[in-house]
């Protein structure tokens, strides 16, 4: 494209770039608005995909191959030279005849042709979302035109802040004992009160019992901090009554946990961010309940009850299927129409009720979405997802509010993201793990995915290939509307994984720059550490945050448990994302520069999207070498990162992306 940097190409590793053509000399197409211009095409309408071919690449002709009604259609692209002689735009017109239309481009050249730098050019190659490949490939990485109704427009601009309610902030109403432990009325038997400054357990049953007393009013009182990061969407882990502090073992879906303040507190929390132009997303478990859930108790009490059909009993009443064989988490049977009417389908369902008055939540994150409706020969996951999407539409017809449906998925989610179910996923495979493999502290002791190994180390080229190839298999709208997170309540902390400030700043730059919805787990912006998901649920150090604010962000000689540079850099980088449409809505092109793998995101000038509305304002600040040099450029992913002077502790205990959830711990 005109204006992109053109450094001298270096030899290409065929394991990274199969065509052998340097990235800056390769033809390029992506699903962003610069390459599929105009409004989104609906069913039966026409789109105009176009391909940029640099002048350095001697293409003879380009042809479009699409799949319509299950059959291949082909046609030529028309060349239109750029006015400055830097290359040629090739265009075609494609009718969106099906809800999802896959397409790719054949790039043909004369035998013996070479690029301007002398690299051999394949006579026959396919350009897909995975890049330029000089052999026939499957349809899995084809570009896709998607006619399904997209996610709400606000999701394109969203920055999410994840809150684990018990560890975020105690509201002023919470009574404390002489040691500073919370002592609310009707403290449940499972709860072990903790001082706010006590470190969470690393693993074991205690992890789910440690009660710190954070509540929903505490979140309201600290919304200024969330807004200061540029975040405009608060995502809460579950708020239902349960048998643990993580609350993924709900005892009912009809109420809000009194420990968090109950229904009135949730209504207050909803109103407070909405008054600021912010949004609120809740967390629902559709795969299982807790074994104390009222439905499960009714099911055990009567084998002939309606509720007994909600679960998978193998021998009533005490033998049943559960999540990963954890008996406190009995699995729901989505074959039950009565269950789905209460949980996911229609305006009377749990799904609908919290999207309506008085809560007016702006969406749901669905826990264990990858397992919902799946057991043995039964696979109803996509059906449940489509049903929930339909429920969101029904609620919108009455409230006029667009809401978001995002799925938890710990591995390859692409088979579930065809556009008419989940809007997106928690993109662990297409974002988190590649970044971890690139930036991980050398020699760490963190377990990798439960395998007999620690975190692997991958060079920049391999990481860029990983990011490109996996994400090429999901429709572009699904990628844009998926959550990118560097860590979550289910993983070790970012700082523990990467080991030091410089690599964490690089990770935050990637979070701000790459396609997807940036999601910050509360405390990551402070350099918080944690060896496991449970250990990472660290109480926010508000005294230190307030002290830092009083010192205008300069800790001086104070020994505060806050990394002021990471905090300010997170604000700056996320502020840049809010400021630049290309970082929120633009396409993506991987480049090569001096052995590194930077990328560029492009958004056409003059489009209606400018600075995203939101509570945070970008701040001008010099960030040093860990930050991209240009605002529309992604962080480089090659070479060795500079070592910074401050290092965090090296993790010394194994931790996986997800552990088994126990009655007292997740």
């Amino acid at each position: 494209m005109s204006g992109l940097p053109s450094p001298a190409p270096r030899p290409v590793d065929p394991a990274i770039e199969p065509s052998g053509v340097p990235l800056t000399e390769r033809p390029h197409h992506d699903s962003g608005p610069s390459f599929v211009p105009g409004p989104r095409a609906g069913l039966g309408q026409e789109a105009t995909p176009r391909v940029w071919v640099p002048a350095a690449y001697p293409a003879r002709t380009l042809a479009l191959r699409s799949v319509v009604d299950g059959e291949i259609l082909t046609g030529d692209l028309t060349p239109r030279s750029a006015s400055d002689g830097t290359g040629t735009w090739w265009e075609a017109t494609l009718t969106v005849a099906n809800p999802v239309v896959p397409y790719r481009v054949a790039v043909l050249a004369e035998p013996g042709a070479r690029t301007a730098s002398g690299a051999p050019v394949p006579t026959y190659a396919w350009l897909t979302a995975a890049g330029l490949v000089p052999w026939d490939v499957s349809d899995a990485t084809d570009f896709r035109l998607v006619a399904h109704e997209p996610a709400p427009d606000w999701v394109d601009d969203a920055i999410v802040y994840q809150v684990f309610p018990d560890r975020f902030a105690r509201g002023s109403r919470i009574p404390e004992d002489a040691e500073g432990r919370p002592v609310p009325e009707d403290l449940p038997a499972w709860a072990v009160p903790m001082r706010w400054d006590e470190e969470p357990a690393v693993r074991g049953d205690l992890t789910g019992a440690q009660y710190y007393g954070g509540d929903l009013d505490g979140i309201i009182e600290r919304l200024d901090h969330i807004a200061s990061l540029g975040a405009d969407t608060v995502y809460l882990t579950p708020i239902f009554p349960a048998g643990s502090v993580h609350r993924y073992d709900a005892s009912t879906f009809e109420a809000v946990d009194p420990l968090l303040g109950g229904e009135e507190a949730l209504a207050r929390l909803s109103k407070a961010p909405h008054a600021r132009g912010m949004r609120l997303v809740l967390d629902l478990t559709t795969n299982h309940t807790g074994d104390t859930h009222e439905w499960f108790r009714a099911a055990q009490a009567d084998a002939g009850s309606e509720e007994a059909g909600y679960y998978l009993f193998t021998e009533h009443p005490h033998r049943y299927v559960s999540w990963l064989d954890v008996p406190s988490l009995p699995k729901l049977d989505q074959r039950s129409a009565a269950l789905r009417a209460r949980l996911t389908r229609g305006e009377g369902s749990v799904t609908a009720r919290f999207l309506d008055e008085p809560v007016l939540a702006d969406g749901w994150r669905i826990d264990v979405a990858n397992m919902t409706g799946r057991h043995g020969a039964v696979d109803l996951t996509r059906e449940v997802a489509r049903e929930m999407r339909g429920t969101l539409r029904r609620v919108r017809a009455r409230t006029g509010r667009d809401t978001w449906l995002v799925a938890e998925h710990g591995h390859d989610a692409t088979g579930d993201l065809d556009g008419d179910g989940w809007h997106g996923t928690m993109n662990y495979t297409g974002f988190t793990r590649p970044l971890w493999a690139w930036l991980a502290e050398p020699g760490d002791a963190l377990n990798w995915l439960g395998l007999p190994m620690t975190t692997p180390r991958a060079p920049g080229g391999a990481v860029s290939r990983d990011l490109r190839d996996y994400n090429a298999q999901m429709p572009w709208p699904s990628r844009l509307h998926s959550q990118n997170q560097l860590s979550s309540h289910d993983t070790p902390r970012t700082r523990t994984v990467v080991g030091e400030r410089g690599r964490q700043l690089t990770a935050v730059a990637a979070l701000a720059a790459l396609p997807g919805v940036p999601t910050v787990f509360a405390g990551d912006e402070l350099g918080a550490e944690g060896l496991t998901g449970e250990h990472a649920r660290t109480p926010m150090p508000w005294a230190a945050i307030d002290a830092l604010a009083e010192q205008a962000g300069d800790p001086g000689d104070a020994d505060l448990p806050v990394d002021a540079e990471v905090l300010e850099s997170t604000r700056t980088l996320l502020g840049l994302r809010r400021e630049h449409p290309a970082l929120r809505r633009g396409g993506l092109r991987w480049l090569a520069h001096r052995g590194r793998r930077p990328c560029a995101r492009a958004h056409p000038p003059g489009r209606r999207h400018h600075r995203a509305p939101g509570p945070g304002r970008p701040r001008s600040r010099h960030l040093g070498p860990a930050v991209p040099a240009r605002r529309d450029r992604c962080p480089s992913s090659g070479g060795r990162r500079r070592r910074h002077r401050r290092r965090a502790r090296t993790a010394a205990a194994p931790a996986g992306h997800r552990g088994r959830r126990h009655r007292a711990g997740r």
Side-chain angles (χ1 to χ4, degrees):
M1 291 189 302
S2 177
L4 286 178
S6 298
R10 292 194 171 202
V12 177
D13 180 354
I16 304 299
E17 299 300 332
S19 70
V21 178
L23 286 164
T24 52
E25 294 185 320
R26 262 185 14 194
H28 178 73
H29 175 76
D30 61 47
S31 297
S34 293
F35 292 86
V36 186
R40 182 187 65 88
L43 197 63
Q45 297 177 332
E46 292 183 340
T48 309
R50 58 184 195 160
V51 178
W52 174 254
V53 181
Y57 192 98
R60 176 171 62 84
T61 192
L62 274 67
L64 185 74
R65 193 210 81 163
S66 61
V67 178
V68 174
D69 296 335
E71 186 55 78
I72 291 175
L73 298 180
T74 60
D76 294 336
L77 283 83
T78 302
R80 303 185 187 280
S81 295
S83 59
D84 58 4
T86 56
T88 303
W89 286 105
W90 294 69
E91 298 180 353
T93 299
L94 182 58
T95 300
V96 185
N98 304 125
V100 180
V101 176
Y103 68 96
R104 63 172 73 175
V105 176
V107 182
L108 309 179
E110 298 293 347
R114 290 181 176 270
T115 68
S117 69
V121 170
T123 58
Y124 164 75
W126 287 110
L127 180 60
T128 75
L132 189 69
V133 183
W135 54 72
D136 287 326
V137 294
S138 78
D139 295 355
T141 61
D142 280 4
F143 302 105
R144 298 172 183 85
L145 294 174
V146 179
H148 292 297
E149 185 179 28
D153 187 69
W154 61 262
V155 178
D156 291 61
D157 298 321
I159 295 173
V160 175
Y161 190 80
Q162 181 190 357
V163 171
F164 190 84
D166 182 64
R167 310 293 162 83
F168 188 67
R170 286 182 192 168
S172 55
R173 72 174 188 86
I174 297 292
E176 300 176 355
D177 66 15
E179 300 295 325
R181 298 183 181 89
V183 286
E185 294 182 8
D186 301 321
L187 185 72
W190 57 260
V192 178
M194 306 291 290
R195 295 194 317 272
W196 195 255
D197 60 354
E198 290 185 273
E199 185 174 352
V202 175
R203 57 181 58 81
D205 289 348
L206 183 60
T207 60
Q210 290 178 306
Y211 168 62
Y212 286 80
D215 65 355
L216 303 183
D217 284 320
I219 300 170
I220 296 172
E221 294 168 13
R222 292 294 182 172
L223 282 174
D224 282 346
H225 172 78
I226 298 173
S228 77
L229 299 170
D232 61 0
T233 303
V234 179
Y235 151 49
L236 303 182
T237 57
I239 45 82
F240 302 110
S244 70
V245 73
H246 59 68
R247 298 183 174 87
Y248 285 100
D249 53 343
S251 60
T252 181
F253 294 130
E254 302 299 322
V256 176
D257 196 332
L259 292 177
L260 296 177
E263 290 77 12
E264 292 183 358
L266 181 60
R268 288 194 296 272
L269 176 57
S270 178
K271 289 177 182 177
H274 286 154
R276 294 170 174 253
M278 300 170 73
R279 292 179 172 83
L280 179 68
V281 173
L282 302 179
D283 198 321
L284 179 64
T285 299
T286 54
N287 177 72
H288 57 263
T289 66
D291 63 352
T292 62
H293 197 285
E294 57 194 359
W295 296 348
F296 189 68
R297 291 288 175 86
Q300 285 188 309
D302 182 0
S305 66
E306 176 186 289
E307 288 83 359
Y310 295 2
Y311 297 91
L312 294 158
F313 286 97
T314 57
E315 183 181 328
H316 191 274
H318 299 304
R319 294 185 180 276
Y320 47 87
V321 178
S322 59
W323 180 81
L324 297 184
D325 298 327
V326 178
S328 62
L329 300 174
K331 184 176 175 66
L332 292 166
D333 187 352
Q334 297 292 342
R335 293 174 297 180
S336 169
L339 165 67
R340 283 158 63 173
R342 294 179 76 171
L343 185 60
T344 58
R345 184 177 62 237
E347 296 189 33
S349 65
V350 175
T351 300
R353 191 160 59 253
F354 285 83
L355 303 178
D356 210 336
E357 294 280 6
V359 178
L360 292 173
D362 297 284
W364 286 107
R365 177 264 195 186
I366 304 303
D367 182 58
V368 200
N370 56 302
M371 297 182 74
T372 293
R374 287 185 170 129
H375 179 66
V378 176
D379 189 346
L380 298 173
T381 301
R382 288 158 62 101
E383 182 178 318
V384 172
R386 287 192 296 269
E387 185 173 87
M388 296 187 75
R389 185 91 162 256
T391 298
L392 268 59
R393 286 193 290 268
R394 289 187 183 186
V395 175
R396 182 188 61 191
R398 186 174 64 259
T399 65
R401 302 173 68 255
D402 286 311
T403 48
W404 185 28
L405 186 64
V406 64
E408 182 195 26
H409 205 304
H411 52 97
D412 186 350
T414 57
D416 292 341
L417 297 175
D418 56 1
D420 60 345
W422 319 123
H423 287 126
T425 185
M426 297 182 77
N427 201 4
Y428 286 111
T429 301
F431 181 83
T432 314
R433 288 203 288 272
L435 267 292
W436 281 18
W438 176 39
L439 297 171
E441 172 78 357
D444 75 31
L446 297 174
N447 178 260
W448 182 255
L449 309 178
L451 299 174
M453 62 181 292
T454 56
T455 308
R457 298 280 293 163
V463 169
S464 68
R465 179 72 183 267
D466 192 356
L467 290 167
R468 185 177 61 200
D469 287 6
Y470 171 76
N471 289 298
Q473 298 179 63
M474 69 170 70
W476 180 252
S478 297
R479 183 179 184 186
L480 282 184
H481 303 134
S482 290
Q483 290 179 280
N484 289 343
Q485 61 281 312
L486 296 169
S487 72
S488 76
H489 67 296
D490 276 333
T491 74
R493 284 282 185 178
T494 304
R495 185 56 164 263
T496 301
V497 173
V498 303
E500 52 101 27
R501 176 188 295 150
R503 287 195 290 268
Q504 185 171 2
L505 292 181
T506 302
V508 176
L511 184 71
L514 289 173
V517 181
T519 301
V520 178
F521 180 35
D524 253 24
E525 74 276 18
L526 310 175
E529 299 180 40
L531 297 167
T532 64
E534 292 82 1
H535 190 233
R537 299 166 191 174
T538 313
M540 292 285 285
W542 291 114
I545 295 170
D546 293 342
L548 186 66
E550 291 174 2
Q551 299 171 49
D554 183 3
D557 295 329
D559 184 17
L560 300 176
V562 173
D563 189 324
E565 185 169 343
V566 168
L567 176 59
E568 280 302 297
S569 297
T570 299
R571 287 169 171 159
T572 301
L573 289 163
L574 295 181
L576 290 174
R577 184 180 178 96
R578 299 210 71 82
E579 186 177 359
H580 294 282
L583 295 179
R584 306 189 311 271
R585 296 170 177 262
L588 177 69
R589 183 182 184 187
W590 289 101
L591 304 171
H593 181 66
R594 297 178 181 174
R596 298 172 181 261
R597 288 290 187 277
C599 62
R601 299 196 63 188
H603 189 278
R607 294 290 292 270
R608 66 183 180 87
H609 303 292
H610 300 290
R611 185 176 185 274
R617 298 187 61 81
R619 306 181 181 201
S620 297
R621 187 169 183 271
H622 177 67
L623 297 174
V627 178
R630 287 176 46 182
R631 292 180 177 180
D632 58 348
R633 296 282 297 280
C634 305
S636 172
S637 61
R640 289 190 174 272
R641 280 128 338 245
R642 289 177 171 88
R643 310 286 288 187
H644 288 245
R645 63 185 180 275
R646 180 172 174 177
R647 299 179 61 82
R649 295 193 310 269
T650 299
H657 154 60
R658 291 188 57 130
R660 294 168 66 89
R661 261 182 239 158
H662 300 279
R663 182 183 187 88
R666 183 190 183 208

